[in-house]
Amino acid sequence: MAGFINNLLILLLLFQNICLGFRSPLSVFKSECLGSDQTVISFGLSDFALDIRMPAVTPKQSDTYLCMSVPLPVDDEAYVVDFKPHASMDTVHHMLLFGCNEPSSTENYWDCDEGTCKDKSNILYAWARNAPPTRLPKGVGFRVGGETANRYFVLQVHYGDVSAFKDKHKDCSGVTLHLTHQKQPLIAGMYLMMSVNTVIPPGKKVIDADIACHYKRSPMHLFAYRVHTHRLGKVVSGYRVRNGQWTLIGRQSPQLPQAFYPVKYPVDISYDDILAARCVFSGEGRTTETHIGGTANDEMCNFYIMYYMEAKHAVSYMTCTQNANPEMFRNIPQEANIPISVKSDVLKMMHGHHEETKDSDATSLLQQDKKEEILDDDFHIAEAVEWPGLDLKLGQVSGLALDPENNLVVFHRGDHVWDVNSFDSKFVYQQRGLGPIEQNTIIVLNPSNAKLLHSTGKSLFYLPHGLSVDKNGNYWVTDVALHQVFKLGANEKEPLLILGVALQPGSDKNHFCQPTDVAVDPITGSIYVSDGYCNSRIIQFSPNGLYVMQWGEETSLGRSRPGQFHIPHSLALIPDLSQLCVADRENGRIQCFKLETGEFTREIKHKAFGRELFAVSYVPGGLLFAVNGMPYPGEAESVQGFVMNFSTGEIIDTFIPLRKSFEMPHDIIASEDRTVFVGDVHAKTVWKFASAEKMEHRSVKKAGIEVQETKESEPIVEARLKNKPKSTDSLKNMDKQHLVQQASTTGASFVLITTLLVIPVVVLLAILVFIRWRKTTVYGADGEHKPDSSSRRILGRLRGKGSSGINLGNFFANHKGYSRKGFDRLSTEGSDQEKDEDDGTDSEEECSASPLPPAPSSS
């Protein structure tokens, strides 16, 4: 009988939730209090649900904090394994759930100014901004009850703006807990990092709040994180710092749903590690100082971490409110300083969900947020059209890099070319009789005007390929003909280090087979070589050139798996995260690996890449740049450059040149100010692109094209349109695409207005034609006829006299895209030889039918 009653209660609860699902968010919380008073529902023998809700309250003033408590309904030990929130940001600013043994009050509910608990309290759960439910990993639970754990739950609800209660409705916001008596092997806990003394000056564009503490307990494993600020917060990031290495725990915009997001890659914390967090604020739009505090006009900087520990060492709650090592934050990864873009409709939902507000700064802040979002949405790369690099007399441009002074370094092939005669079937170079290249193959250019600053590399190389520059200004290059890797001093004529055996391809520890690129870790000095066209591996060497390890294998038939390569063509170090990313060329993807172990961490692959992805470059701060290859015949993907968010892999922007066209972009390098250089092996040139949004410019009309001139009098032309143009063969095509872009940005509103204006005119003309026809038919061409009463009614409505006429004002007032509802969270395969000028296709001539097997090892 008891089981029947329990099942009946469950059905009633489900029916209630289904019914609530069809109501608007606000109506839900006006009527949710009408549900059953049953707070405990049993699920079988060991599990039960506990409903914790505000008891039909109506706050009287803004920034009210109300608390209520619920006792644990069992005496023995239990474990919380799931949290389901019941709240809307239209009503509630945020909720916190505490665990303790003695609440501050025995009243039905009370003002939280009296406190939450008389004894020590632990935060078990936090919610804000329509965050979805949180479920713990299997085998993990918050321990409650029993002899030592918490016996009461205290719910704290912050009601920010009481204008949501102008209709005097009652609120029953809260959370439902799923508990179990089954013993959990791993105990969950909460680690709260919080700034307590940050001051944000009015008008200050960027203010950082830093928190850091040494960890002095048993190991813990992090599995979820949550960020929290108020309106001024732009991004919050948390890290583990171990031996100077920063490992990301989580990074998120506090203007998105403030849920507990899963830690993307498992992070463990050991004794004496440092936990560090940074909140980035902007005081723009404020007229007074903003302090850390409890009201909506104050600010907060919180980074919550959910972790689990072995039961015998478990600690349920820890805090960090200091900055133990301010100097350490000089080395924080740049991504922590870059705001995360939030869509404008989300900002409306986040900041504009009340029509009235007592916050005098709210309007200006919202306008500021919208302005910043427009910049983020319209961020694009544009070609610097007066960059003279296109006029340089270069050979095939195979590699690009930036030196420590941010000068551009170019590696080119002089008068040598890679063609069908360069290698035999065993990858042995066949044109040694030509001798080494007699021109300087490494040239250093001023990045602003392409003025030659330095050159070297004469009579050293046969077929240059990859290039990088280490933190000391040394040049690291690869030569596919020599099958070697070289370290060159900027002012040295002879190499400082040589890896590989000259002109001998191989696949053992001492040989390479057409190595493509090299990268040097700025922290450890370790050397990484991508090897190459006829091997499929990444090799790590010590700073002195001693073999350490290698990883990778040839791509198998069918879908390529993680760690498999089909020409690892380009390398990009991400020292902030201790990762190495590889442009896996013929697999058309980017693969990233841990530097220490070579362990695969992620793949970035997009349809827009097409079949080939040639090169990749990383900018500290979280931006990834790449270029792809020419499409195969019959394929639509165009050759272009890409800008990506490294954290998400999302394509932020694409770009193409306007002068000439990409033929075979072979390498790409980007600087921290988002200046980008692309080297083209077939066009034998270097393009420069710049971030149009960051340059101060004025618009000028030149030859019918909008040209934007920078302070340096270096005009840039918008090279990326939102409809992603497929071709830039002529400026006329660009103008057409610009018109298409203008039309698209006008949006559906223009089409809708035009349609609404045209339809009545068409109907009116049809009626007039009909009347004319009737008049002609019944009375003759010269006869007179007055419209009947029906026609008069129709014409009257078209003139606006009818009661059912369309009101455009009301129509658009109901179609602004604003909703109060919540939302849920987040060529040739062989080489790059010269293109055959007689070839009528668009494909490159660098490929053979299938890759040949690696040559046997040779001594």
Side-chain angles (χ1 to χ4, degrees):
M1 185 66 181
F4 173 76
I5 293 174
N6 285 338
N7 290 335
L8 183 60
L9 287 172
I10 293 171
L11 289 174
L12 288 172
L13 184 61
L14 290 173
F15 178 74
Q16 180 189 16
N17 287 339
I18 291 171
C19 293
L20 290 175
F22 291 98
R23 305 175 188 170
S24 68
L26 197 55
S27 66
V28 167
F29 296 101
K30 290 179 183 178
S31 58
E32 241 181 7
C33 298
L34 301 177
S36 170
D37 292 333
Q38 180 76 14
T39 60
V40 182
I41 299 175
S42 176
F43 298 108
L45 297 176
S46 61
D47 290 20
F48 61 97
L50 179 63
D51 207 33
I52 305 174
R53 305 286 189 105
M54 275 293 159
V57 300
T58 302
K60 300 297 190 296
Q61 62 183 22
S62 295
D63 291 314
T64 295
Y65 285 76
L66 296 181
C67 290
M68 58 87 62
S69 66
V70 173
L72 184 67
V74 294
D75 293 329
D76 53 343
E77 196 172 80
Y79 300 86
V80 181
V81 296
D82 195 6
F83 301 88
K84 183 179 180 182
H86 306 284
S88 166
M89 63 181 293
D90 288 303
T91 309
V92 173
H93 184 273
H94 73 260
M95 298 189 300
L96 290 175
L97 183 68
F98 297 87
C100 64
N101 287 319
E102 189 177 2
S104 291
S105 174
T106 58
E107 298 293 328
N108 200 21
Y109 70 94
W110 66 92
D111 191 316
C112 296
D113 286 344
E114 302 175 22
T116 53
C117 297
K118 293 182 179 179
D119 61 335
K120 181 181 178 181
S121 61
N122 303 326
I123 295 178
L124 301 177
Y125 179 68
W127 174 96
R129 297 191 181 279
N130 292 341
T134 298
R135 187 172 184 84
L136 276 60
K138 187 175 181 180
V140 176
F142 283 92
R143 183 165 52 195
V144 294
E147 295 182 0
T148 58
N150 303 315
R151 295 192 297 271
Y152 278 86
F153 297 104
V154 177
L155 176 67
Q156 180 195 89
V157 179
H158 175 197
Y159 297 97
D161 189 345
V162 293
S163 64
F165 290 89
K166 57 187 177 183
D167 58 355
K168 307 299 182 184
H169 74 273
K170 305 292 185 181
D171 181 64
C172 291
S173 298
V175 60
T176 299
L177 309 184
H178 179 186
L179 297 99
T180 181
H181 290 293
Q182 293 182 358
K183 197 172 186 67
Q184 302 296 296
L186 302 170
I187 304 303
M190 186 79 69
Y191 193 107
L192 171 59
M193 306 186 72
M194 177 173 61
S195 174
V196 296
N197 55 9
T198 298
V199 178
I200 305 170
K204 187 75 172 179
K205 188 171 184 180
V206 177
I207 287 293
D208 298 331
D210 295 333
I211 316 155
C213 288
H214 285 272
Y215 184 71
K216 299 292 185 180
R217 294 183 179 271
S218 298
M220 65 177 178
H221 304 271
L222 315 185
F223 64 88
Y225 71 95
R226 172 183 178 266
V227 305
H228 178 70
T229 72
H230 296 169
R231 289 175 181 265
L232 303 186
K234 300 303 179 184
V235 63
V236 182
S237 309
Y239 296 89
R240 178 198 71 190
V241 185
R242 177 183 293 171
N243 299 324
Q245 296 285 328
W246 293 69
T247 299
L248 181 68
I249 298 169
R251 173 176 173 267
Q252 189 56 276
S253 167
Q255 307 308 322
L256 292 173
Q258 292 184 1
F260 277 95
Y261 292 89
V263 174
K264 191 166 186 181
Y265 304 113
V267 178
D268 64 280
I269 306 298
S270 301
Y271 186 87
D272 216 28
D273 284 344
I274 298 176
L275 287 163
R278 167 169 285 182
C279 301
V280 178
F281 297 99
S282 174
E284 291 182 311
R286 287 288 170 100
T287 56
T288 59
E289 285 186 343
T290 305
H291 296 259
I292 298 295
T295 74
N297 291 332
D298 294 322
E299 265 303 334
M300 288 187 174
C301 169
N302 295 354
F303 187 77
Y304 296 85
I305 305 171
M306 274 192 183
Y307 61 86
Y308 64 80
M309 307 173 74
E310 293 183 9
K312 61 182 178 180
H313 301 302
V315 178
S316 59
Y317 181 63
M318 292 177 274
T319 60
C320 172
T321 59
Q322 60 179 329
N323 185 357
N325 188 356
E327 293 297 317
M328 176 185 70
F329 283 89
R330 292 183 178 181
N331 300 317
I332 191 171
Q334 284 300 308
E335 64 182 358
N337 302 316
I338 298 179
I340 294 176
S341 175
V342 180
K343 297 297 182 184
S344 56
D345 58 341
V346 176
L347 284 175
K348 288 180 182 178
M349 183 171 292
M350 294 303 179
H351 298 312
H353 54 280
H354 298 314
E355 294 178 0
E356 300 174 5
T357 177
K358 294 183 179 181
D359 182 1
S360 61
D361 294 322
T363 302
S364 61
L365 281 173
L366 181 56
Q367 291 171 348
Q368 169 203 336
D369 287 340
K370 287 181 178 177
K371 179 180 179 181
E372 289 177 358
E373 177 55 29
I374 290 172
L375 290 177
D376 286 337
D377 283 345
D378 289 348
F379 165 74
H380 60 277
I381 294 296
E383 182 187 354
V385 296
E386 290 192 356
W387 156 255
L390 268 66
D391 301 323
L392 294 171
K393 303 301 180 183
L394 301 171
Q396 293 182 328
V397 178
S398 62
L400 299 176
L402 295 172
D403 67 15
E405 285 74 43
N406 228 31
N407 296 314
L408 176 64
V409 186
V410 180
F411 197 30
H412 72 108
R413 295 174 184 159
D415 57 2
H416 283 204
V417 297
W418 187 345
D419 59 27
V420 293
N421 300 313
S422 297
F423 295 90
D424 65 12
S425 61
K426 294 183 178 180
F427 309 107
V428 176
Y429 186 57
Q430 298 297 296
Q431 297 173 331
R432 283 172 286 182
L434 297 175
I437 301 169
E438 292 301 321
Q439 297 88 28
N440 282 318
T441 53
I442 300 174
I443 61 174
V444 183
L445 305 174
N446 183 308
S448 298
N449 54 27
K451 180 181 178 181
L452 180 63
L453 303 177
H454 178 66
S455 63
T456 187
K458 179 180 179 181
S459 301
L460 286 176
F461 308 111
Y462 287 81
L463 280 181
H465 200 276
L467 165 70
S468 68
V469 181
D470 65 24
K471 65 179 181 180
N472 297 318
N474 298 307
Y475 307 133
W476 293 79
V477 299
T478 71
D479 188 309
V480 291
L482 290 170
H483 306 286
Q484 287 180 303
V485 176
F486 298 83
K487 175 185 178 182
L488 299 169
N491 298 308
E492 303 290 336
K493 293 185 178 181
E494 297 297 324
L496 302 177
L497 179 68
I498 301 176
L499 301 175
V501 181
L503 300 168
Q504 292 186 14
S507 56
D508 60 19
K509 297 179 181 180
N510 300 314
H511 291 78
F512 302 109
C513 192
Q514 296 178 342
T516 53
D517 203 4
V518 57
V520 180
D521 189 332
I523 298 173
T524 65
S526 294
I527 306 160
Y528 298 87
V529 178
S530 51
D531 180 38
Y533 281 97
C534 34
N535 287 327
S536 299
R537 61 181 180 171
I538 306 298
I539 310 175
Q540 179 185 349
F541 297 89
S542 72
N544 296 325
L546 299 178
Y547 175 89
V548 176
M549 68 171 180
Q550 68 180 49
W551 69 86
E553 60 183 25
E554 187 178 349
T555 299
S556 56
L557 294 176
R559 178 176 172 79
S560 53
R561 297 194 300 268
Q564 293 185 336
F565 299 111
H566 196 172
I567 306 182
H569 196 258
S570 171
L571 300 177
L573 271 170
I574 296 86
D576 309 346
L577 304 176
S578 295
Q579 292 188 37
L580 178 73
C581 291
V582 184
D584 186 7
R585 195 180 100 172
E586 299 299 312
N587 284 325
R589 64 179 178 175
I590 299 168
Q591 295 192 75
C592 299
F593 305 87
K594 290 184 179 179
L595 286 176
E596 301 89 348
T597 62
E599 178 186 351
F600 173 84
T601 60
R602 66 184 304 192
E603 173 191 271
I604 301 175
K605 186 178 177 71
H606 295 281
K607 186 177 184 297
F609 288 171
R611 294 197 193 184
E612 298 177 336
L613 190 81
F614 271 69
V616 61
S617 177
Y618 174 78
V619 170
L623 289 180
L624 203 61
F625 296 81
V627 286
N628 65 350
M630 291 292 290
Y632 282 54
E635 294 183 347
E637 291 80 12
S638 59
V639 57
Q640 57 191 327
F642 301 89
V643 187
M644 289 163 283
N645 181 321
F646 178 75
S647 297
T648 65
E650 174 191 9
I651 295 176
I652 300 172
D653 183 38
T654 61
F655 56 93
I656 53 176
L658 294 175
R659 299 176 297 163
K660 299 186 179 181
S661 296
F662 281 148
E663 294 182 32
M664 189 176 179
H666 194 263
D667 201 9
I668 186 170
I669 190 68
S671 63
E672 291 191 34
D673 66 356
R674 300 178 181 179
T675 300
V676 181
F677 296 93
V678 176
D680 195 307
V681 76
H682 281 172
K684 299 181 179 180
T685 194
V686 178
W687 276 280
K688 178 180 178 179
F689 301 86
S691 172
E693 68 169 8
K694 297 191 72 174
M695 289 187 171
E696 297 180 22
H697 58 268
R698 60 185 178 87
S699 296
V700 182
K701 295 293 181 180
K702 185 182 292 185
I705 305 171
E706 183 174 286
V707 179
Q708 299 171 331
E709 291 189 344
T710 72
K711 277 180 153 184
E712 299 174 353
S713 299
E714 184 179 293
I716 56 174
V717 178
E718 185 169 302
R720 181 260 190 184
L721 300 179
K722 291 186 177 180
N723 58 334
K724 291 185 175 63
K726 300 293 183 183
S727 173
T728 55
D729 291 339
S730 68
L731 296 178
K732 184 177 180 180
N733 286 345
M734 179 212 161
D735 285 337
K736 290 181 179 178
Q737 290 161 344
H738 185 66
L739 290 174
V740 171
Q741 181 190 17
Q742 284 184 319
S744 66
T745 55
T746 304
S749 298
F750 175 79
V751 176
L752 189 58
I753 293 172
T754 304
T755 303
L756 290 172
L757 292 175
V758 168
I759 288 176
V761 175
V762 172
V763 173
L764 178 61
L765 289 175
I767 293 172
L768 292 175
V769 170
F770 175 77
I771 294 171
R772 179 69 177 172
W773 174 77
R774 285 289 303 272
K775 180 178 178 180
T776 304
T777 303
V778 179
Y779 298 102
D782 298 324
E784 293 183 0
H785 178 65
K786 297 180 179 179
D788 58 18
S789 60
S790 175
S791 298
R792 284 199 302 271
R793 284 195 298 273
I794 295 174
L795 290 171
R797 289 183 180 181
L798 289 171
R799 296 187 183 107
K801 297 179 180 178
S803 61
S804 60
I806 295 177
N807 185 320
L808 288 178
N810 290 337
F811 180 85
F812 289 111
N814 295 324
H815 291 77
K816 292 184 179 178
Y818 171 73
S819 170
R820 292 174 178 264
K821 294 184 178 180
F823 54 92
D824 294 332
R825 279 190 278 214
L826 327 184
S827 86
T828 70
E829 297 176 353
S831 67
D832 43 43
Q833 63 199 37
E834 274 285 276
K835 183 176 179 180
D836 187 352
E837 299 298 335
D838 298 327
D839 185 3
T841 70
D842 292 329
S843 62
E844 302 127 15
E845 194 192 278
E846 29 158 298
C847 132
S848 53
S850 61
L852 294 171
S857 302
S858 57
S859 57

